[in-house]
Amino acid sequence: YEGKMSMFRYDFKKDDTDLLVLDLASTYRLDFRLHVLSNDIVYVANINELKDKLSGIQLTRFNFGKKKIEQAVYYHLSDELRHDVDSISRGNEDWRFFNMHSFHVDPDQSVTVSLEKMYYRSIGLSYDKYATEDIEHWRERQAQVTAGPALLLRFSPTREVLWEQYIDKEQSVDAQDGLNTASYVLDHTNPDSVRVLYATADAVAA
């Protein structure tokens, strides 16, 4: 089991701290995103990994006014989604290197979560997204940053899955440019849909 999730609220005027704790998980929680709905209510979205592969997404609602966790919903990647992705990617999706891209909460408290596969390629380097924590890896390299497939999920206010969408894309740029000309952006101005914008280019034969 992996560690607990702790959420603190500090009152500067009273010099007082409130603490809410979500219990242990059987998967590794990482890449947290917060949405502060009010002084009392905070939403947290995170991804969950098992053996370095994406296993699901967790949505948690902390209510400091009531001093309790009102929602802690874990969405496990469904067999139907995995089957669809296998068909789209021709079996090439290994579910590694996914990161939380964005977390959006609508006024009615419906939620949109988007993920993106991100990694970089360099000669003689086996990519590990946790390697930045090791100072031995801190050196200049010639590399390509790849922003790969995207995964979008929409949840109702009661956290039923309304839809899920896998976008099979791959954008590679020089590491010096980073994600300035890769990745994607979302538009939530229409409450009934989410628009996705990203750059594409025709493949150039060698």
Side-chain angles (χ1 to χ4, degrees):
Y1 285 87
E2 297 294 342
K4 299 178 180 181
M5 184 197 305
S6 300
M7 178 67 68
F8 295 86
R9 182 179 69 171
Y10 179 68
D11 189 324
F12 286 92
K13 293 181 178 179
K14 298 179 180 179
D15 190 24
D16 187 35
T17 301
D18 294 321
L19 170 64
L20 295 174
V21 179
L22 184 63
D23 211 346
L24 302 172
S26 59
T27 54
Y28 182 56
R29 299 184 184 120
L30 68 158
D31 220 354
F32 301 89
R33 295 291 188 276
L34 273 66
H35 178 89
V36 179
L37 188 69
S38 68
N39 289 334
D40 289 330
I41 298 175
V42 178
Y43 280 100
V44 178
N46 64 270
I47 65 174
N48 296 66
E49 286 187 348
L50 184 63
K51 297 180 179 178
D52 295 328
K53 295 185 178 183
L54 178 68
S55 62
I57 298 165
Q58 184 160 3
L59 301 172
T60 310
R61 175 184 163 111
F62 295 87
N63 190 325
F64 286 98
K66 296 181 179 179
K67 300 186 183 301
K68 69 177 184 178
I69 297 173
E70 292 184 315
Q71 288 181 339
V73 179
Y74 175 69
Y75 168 75
H76 182 75
L77 296 182
S78 65
D79 291 338
E80 182 180 0
L81 174 63
R82 291 180 182 274
H83 181 269
D84 291 343
V85 170
D86 281 342
S87 298
I88 295 170
S89 67
R90 299 179 182 178
N92 292 322
E93 182 53 73
D94 60 6
W95 299 104
R96 301 172 67 209
F97 311 137
F98 274 89
N99 298 284
M100 184 74 71
H101 177 276
S102 64
F103 171 46
H104 181 82
V105 180
D106 284 335
D108 69 351
Q109 298 185 48
S110 298
V111 167
T112 304
V113 176
S114 63
L115 286 71
E116 186 172 33
K117 188 168 191 166
M118 295 183 185
Y119 57 96
Y120 68 87
R121 298 169 175 153
S122 180
I123 295 174
L125 175 70
S126 178
Y127 177 68
D128 175 4
K129 68 180 182 180
Y130 304 109
T132 54
E133 301 172 7
D134 185 351
I135 197 171
E136 294 296 324
H137 295 283
W138 294 5
R139 62 182 179 85
E140 186 175 350
R141 298 179 185 275
Q142 293 292 325
Q144 289 280 318
V145 174
T146 297
L151 178 62
L152 281 69
L153 300 106
R154 177 78 167 168
F155 298 89
S156 73
T158 54
R159 301 300 163 252
E160 288 84 13
V161 179
L162 299 177
W163 51 260
E164 48 195 10
Q165 180 69 50
Y166 178 86
I167 301 174
D168 188 24
K169 68 176 184 66
E170 182 170 313
Q171 302 157 286
S172 293
V173 296
D174 191 89
Q176 290 182 335
D177 193 45
L179 296 176
N180 292 329
T181 54
S183 194
Y184 64 97
V185 294
L186 300 180
D187 175 65
H188 299 273
T189 53
N190 187 333
D192 297 322
S193 63
V194 176
R195 293 188 291 183
V196 183
L197 175 65
Y198 60 93
T200 62
D202 294 331
V204 179

